[in-house]
Amino acid sequence: MDYKAVHRYADTGPRKIRLFADLIRGRNVDEALQLLRFYHNRGAKLIEEVVRSALGNADFLECPDLDSLIVSEARVDGGPTFKRMQPRARGTAFQIKRRLAHIHVTLSDPPETSPTEAPASSFRRPRPRACPRRRPVTN
């Protein structure tokens, strides 16, 4: 089952928060919280709050095993942008864009793997070259 939490209109730009969303995606919840706890960054604190909220939702809905949950989705979308004008020299003005973000976190049970499935092979064929090697020109 999936357990979700959303923080809408987070007062930080989405690019600053996406770094931490990419960091925790696919990890165990305890591991994700440990990673986020030691970053002294506003984006990390916001993501940590949303992960804790999703974990609280799982507890409220009586998840059978809270320790085995993984972060299956960590998504940061852009929210509305406040646009302001900053006066500059000679009567000109620059635009200030204050960006907001929407943070979505989904926790789910780990995927079940059957023992009959063989692990995927790690062998990769070399990629073909874009162009063949050129021969040196002789005059």
Side-chain angles (χ1 to χ4, degrees):
M1 185 173 176
D2 292 343
Y3 307 99
K4 298 180 182 183
V6 179
H7 181 181
R8 300 194 66 209
Y9 305 104
D11 197 16
T12 304
R15 283 182 64 182
K16 296 177 181 179
I17 304 174
R18 272 192 200 114
L19 298 171
F20 300 103
D22 295 338
L23 180 70
I24 65 167
R25 191 176 298 120
R27 294 186 186 263
N28 188 335
V29 176
D30 296 330
E31 184 181 351
L33 289 173
Q34 283 287 17
L35 282 172
L36 293 172
R37 181 177 303 158
F38 296 107
Y39 278 98
H40 299 294
N41 190 309
R42 188 173 187 176
K45 303 297 181 220
L46 290 171
I47 287 272
E48 182 182 0
E49 289 175 5
V50 179
V51 171
R52 285 188 190 280
S53 177
L55 193 60
N57 291 343
D59 187 26
F60 179 76
L61 294 175
E62 298 177 356
C63 175
D65 191 12
L66 290 174
D67 296 331
S68 69
L69 292 175
I70 61 168
V71 180
S72 59
E73 179 188 20
R75 189 179 77 219
V76 180
D77 299 330
T81 302
F82 293 139
K83 295 178 181 173
R84 304 283 186 265
M85 299 306 287
Q86 170 75 39
R88 302 301 292 178
R90 299 187 180 197
T92 62
F94 286 173
Q95 193 172 35
I96 297 174
K97 294 181 181 177
R98 186 168 180 203
R99 301 177 192 273
L100 302 178
H102 302 313
I103 305 170
H104 304 266
V105 172
T106 304
L107 307 179
S108 62
D109 300 322
E112 296 294 329
T113 58
S114 62
T116 59
E117 292 180 15
S121 174
S122 62
F123 174 75
R124 289 182 52 199
R125 283 196 183 130
R127 288 184 6 196
R129 295 180 59 94
C131 62
R133 292 189 183 193
R134 296 184 182 183
R135 296 184 182 154
V137 178
T138 57
N139 289 338

